[in-house]
């Protein structure tokens, strides 16, 4: 399928600032009248949001392979129903989490074979790759200082050792060309860095 938009993915551990930065970025794009789509994984369609609810519900005990396949089911739906049409329409797509999250959480942190995760990602996306992946890197301890009143979802309930593997996974597996930012920097500074990178790469005429 022909695509002419830009596919930007924001990645990083839980509470690393993905949603905060996605909101600031799309507010700015809106002011500039740049057509955009703000979406997330798992989710981004009504069916995939239902899968998200199941995946993140702390009441379930979930086998790693079952978890992987549900993430990929949500992703297959999201890719076809939301991502490809938006890119075809020329939008700047800002997506919170994508295939790197699965490589990190289900692959590196849960221990599912890397090749299996790679094949599952390939199958779910038909090979659709981000134009730019941005990783917000935060030390594990940050998790305990942010949003302290919010109830944790199933993955956030994992022990600190899991979070350490997640952080390490991001640092090891961030694809070539990814922009890795220090997520402890002030929100406004991160926004300017992110916007600058996006503008330089994609908004030049
Ligand atoms: N640069 C920052 N410095 C300090 N706190 C921040 C920063 N960015 C975001 N926060 C705070 O950290 C918390 C989590 O931020 P946010 O929801 O944007 O993260 P997230 O990566 O989307 O998390 P999740 O993985 O749970 O969706 C919020 O309370 C937010 O205000
Ligand atoms: Mg978020």
């Amino acid at each position: 399928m022909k695509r002419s938009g830009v596919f930007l993915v924001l990645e990083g551990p839980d509470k690393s600032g993905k949603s905060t930065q996605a909101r600031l970025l799309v507010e700015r794009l809106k002011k500039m009248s740049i057509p955009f789509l703000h979406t997330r994984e798992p989710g981004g369609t009504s069916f995939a949001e239902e899968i998200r609810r199941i995946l993140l519900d702390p009441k379930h005990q979930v086998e790693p392979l079952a978890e992987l396949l549900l993430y990929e089911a949500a992703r297959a739906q999201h890719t076809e129903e939301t991502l490809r049409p938006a890119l075809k329409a020329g939008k700047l797509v800002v997506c919170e989490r994508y295939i790197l999250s699965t490589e990190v959480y289900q692959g590196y942190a849960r221990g599912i074979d890397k090749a299996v995760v790679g094949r599952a990602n390939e199958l779910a996306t038909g090979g659709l790759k981000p134009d730019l992946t941005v990783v917000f890197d935060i030390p594990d301890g940050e998790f305990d200082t942010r949003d302290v009143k919010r109830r944790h979802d199933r993955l956030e309930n994992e022990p600190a050792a899991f979070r350490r593997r997640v952080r390490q996974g991001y640092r090891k597996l961030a694809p070539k060309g990814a922009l890795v930012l220090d997520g402890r920097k002030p929100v406004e500074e991160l926004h300017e860095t992110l916007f600058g990178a996006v503008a330089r790469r994609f908004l030049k005429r």
Side-chain angles (χ1 to χ4, degrees):
M1 189 195 274
K2 223 179 95 220
R3 47 171 293 208
S4 51
V6 172
F7 186 16
L8 174 69
V9 172
L10 305 186
E11 287 276 3
D14 299 281
K15 304 190 196 175
S16 57
K18 301 176 294 296
S19 299
T20 302
Q21 292 302 325
R23 275 195 299 273
L24 289 172
L25 180 61
V26 302
E27 268 170 35
R28 186 126 169 207
L29 297 173
K30 196 171 179 180
K31 281 189 197 136
M32 296 170 75
S33 303
I34 292 164
F36 69 87
L37 172 82
H38 179 190
T39 185
R40 68 176 181 182
E41 290 206 343
T45 82
S46 63
F47 180 65
E49 288 287 335
E50 288 275 311
I51 296 175
R52 177 190 182 92
R53 192 178 51 74
I54 297 168
L55 272 169
L56 299 184
D57 190 333
K59 82 177 175 212
H60 300 303
Q61 276 277 105
V62 185
E63 285 299 314
L65 184 60
E67 181 180 273
L68 170 70
L69 294 172
L70 263 195
Y71 273 107
E72 299 296 7
R75 176 162 300 137
Q77 186 71 31
H78 184 229
T79 303
E80 283 310 310
E81 187 180 332
T82 305
L83 297 176
R84 286 188 189 277
L87 291 168
K88 197 173 177 210
K91 292 183 183 166
L92 199 165
V93 175
V94 179
C95 183
E96 299 179 39
R97 298 193 180 283
Y98 190 57
I99 51 179
L100 179 58
S101 280
T102 310
E103 290 170 16
V104 169
Y105 284 76
Q106 282 68 49
Y108 196 86
R110 294 258 194 251
I112 297 177
D113 186 82
K114 195 176 173 176
V116 170
V117 173
R119 285 213 312 277
N121 275 338
E122 181 72 22
L123 189 64
T125 61
L128 179 69
K129 294 280 188 317
D131 294 300
L132 176 63
T133 300
V134 179
V135 178
F136 297 101
D137 178 43
I138 51 165
D140 325 307
E142 249 341 82
F143 178 87
D144 299 309
T145 70
R146 296 185 175 190
D147 270 347
V148 284
K149 292 208 191 97
R150 186 166 61 75
R151 268 186 69 207
H152 284 159
D153 66 33
R154 190 174 61 83
L155 278 99
E156 291 166 341
N157 276 338
E158 290 287 341
F162 184 80
R163 274 192 291 285
R164 277 197 292 282
R165 285 201 297 279
V166 166
R167 187 202 188 191
Q168 206 182 12
Y170 272 116
R171 291 160 80 103
K172 283 208 170 171
L173 301 175
K176 228 171 123 222
L179 184 62
V180 180
L181 301 177
D182 180 349
R184 289 168 305 178
K185 293 262 169 69
V187 170
E188 263 311 313
E189 186 180 330
L190 282 167
H191 169 63
E192 288 305 326
T193 306
L194 174 61
F195 178 76
V198 169
R200 242 186 346 271
R201 285 175 172 77
F202 307 119
L203 304 180
K204 268 211 195 110
R205 280 173 297 143

